[in-house]
Amino acid sequence: MKSIKLEIITPVHNRRSETLRCLKSLGRSKLDGIEAHVIIVDDGSTDGTAEAVRSEFPDVEIVQGNGNLWYTAGANRGLEAALRHDPDYI
Protein backbone atom coordinates (compact mmCIF):
# COMPACT_ATOMS: atom_id res chain seq x y z
CA MET A 1 0.00 0.00 0.00
CA LYS A 2 1.33 3.43 -0.98
CA SER A 3 1.86 5.99 1.77
CA ILE A 4 -0.11 9.21 1.63
CA LYS A 5 2.17 12.24 1.21
CA LEU A 6 0.99 15.00 3.54
CA GLU A 7 2.41 18.52 3.82
CA ILE A 8 1.69 20.40 7.06
CA ILE A 9 2.12 24.19 6.92
CA THR A 10 2.24 26.57 9.87
CA PRO A 11 2.90 30.30 9.43
CA VAL A 12 4.34 31.84 12.62
CA HIS A 13 5.72 35.10 13.98
CA ASN A 14 7.31 35.27 17.43
CA ARG A 15 5.62 32.10 18.68
CA ARG A 16 8.65 30.05 19.72
CA SER A 17 7.12 28.08 22.59
CA GLU A 18 3.78 27.51 20.81
CA THR A 19 5.57 26.34 17.64
CA LEU A 20 7.77 23.90 19.58
CA ARG A 21 4.72 22.53 21.42
CA CYS A 22 2.92 22.09 18.10
CA LEU A 23 5.87 20.20 16.59
CA LYS A 24 6.19 17.98 19.68
CA SER A 25 2.49 17.17 19.45
CA LEU A 26 2.82 16.30 15.76
CA GLY A 27 5.73 14.04 16.65
CA ARG A 28 3.48 12.10 19.04
CA SER A 29 0.73 11.68 16.44
CA LYS A 30 -0.03 8.26 15.03
CA LEU A 31 0.62 8.60 11.31
CA ASP A 32 0.45 5.03 10.04
CA GLY A 33 0.45 5.09 6.25
CA ILE A 34 1.15 8.82 6.14
CA GLU A 35 4.44 10.34 5.07
CA ALA A 36 4.23 13.77 6.75
CA HIS A 37 6.50 16.72 6.02
CA VAL A 38 6.25 19.93 8.05
CA ILE A 39 6.91 23.45 6.81
CA ILE A 40 7.16 26.37 9.21
CA VAL A 41 6.91 29.79 7.59
CA ASP A 42 8.77 32.03 10.04
CA ASP A 43 7.80 35.59 9.20
CA GLY A 44 10.73 37.48 10.66
CA SER A 45 10.50 36.26 14.25
CA THR A 46 12.89 37.92 16.69
CA ASP A 47 12.31 35.47 19.56
CA GLY A 48 14.49 32.65 18.21
CA THR A 49 11.64 30.60 16.70
CA ALA A 50 13.54 29.52 13.58
CA GLU A 51 16.72 28.72 15.49
CA ALA A 52 14.85 26.62 18.06
CA VAL A 53 13.01 24.70 15.34
CA ARG A 54 16.27 24.04 13.47
CA SER A 55 17.90 22.82 16.68
CA GLU A 56 15.08 20.60 17.98
CA PHE A 57 13.44 19.52 14.70
CA PRO A 58 16.09 19.39 11.97
CA ASP A 59 13.71 17.61 9.53
CA VAL A 60 11.27 20.52 9.57
CA GLU A 61 11.58 22.82 6.58
CA ILE A 62 11.73 26.51 7.43
CA VAL A 63 10.69 29.17 4.95
CA GLN A 64 11.84 32.62 6.02
CA GLY A 65 9.79 35.79 5.72
CA ASN A 66 10.76 39.37 6.44
CA GLY A 67 7.98 40.25 8.88
CA ASN A 68 5.60 41.59 6.25
CA LEU A 69 3.85 38.37 5.20
CA TRP A 70 1.18 38.20 7.90
CA TYR A 71 -1.02 35.10 7.97
CA THR A 72 -2.35 34.90 4.41
CA ALA A 73 0.90 35.59 2.57
CA GLY A 74 2.71 33.29 5.02
CA ALA A 75 0.26 30.49 4.28
CA ASN A 76 0.65 31.13 0.54
CA ARG A 77 4.44 31.01 0.84
CA GLY A 78 4.06 27.70 2.69
CA LEU A 79 1.75 26.36 -0.03
CA GLU A 80 4.32 27.24 -2.69
CA ALA A 81 6.99 25.32 -0.76
CA ALA A 82 4.65 22.38 -0.13
CA LEU A 83 3.76 22.00 -3.80
CA ARG A 84 7.45 21.42 -4.62
CA HIS A 85 7.18 18.14 -2.66
CA ASP A 86 4.34 16.82 -4.87
CA PRO A 87 2.01 15.98 -1.95
CA ASP A 88 -1.28 14.15 -2.02
CA TYR A 89 -2.68 16.55 0.58
CA ILE A 90 -1.72 19.88 2.16
Side-chain angles (χ1 to χ4, degrees):
M1 183 172 148
K2 178 185 167 220
S3 291
I4 295 171
K5 291 176 64 177
L6 172 67
E7 291 290 321
I8 301 168
I9 303 166
T10 304
V12 300
H13 176 75
N14 286 338
R15 295 290 182 261
R16 181 182 182 274
S17 62
E18 292 87 348
T19 303
L20 295 176
R21 277 198 322 265
C22 174
L23 294 172
K24 287 174 186 170
S25 179
L26 284 171
R28 291 188 303 266
S29 298
K30 185 176 180 181
L31 299 174
D32 294 339
I34 298 173
E35 181 183 331
H37 178 254
V38 179
I39 298 172
I40 298 293
V41 180
D42 179 37
D43 191 23
S45 294
T46 58
D47 67 347
T49 297
E51 295 81 3
V53 170
R54 279 188 195 96
S55 175
E56 293 188 40
F57 300 93
D59 292 336
V60 170
E61 181 177 345
I62 299 175
V63 175
Q64 287 295 153
N66 61 6
N68 293 318
L69 293 176
W70 299 88
Y71 180 81
T72 303
N76 286 338
R77 186 80 54 92
L79 284 169
E80 291 169 1
L83 288 171
R84 289 193 290 269
H85 297 278
D86 193 31
D88 297 312
Y89 298 97
I90 300 174

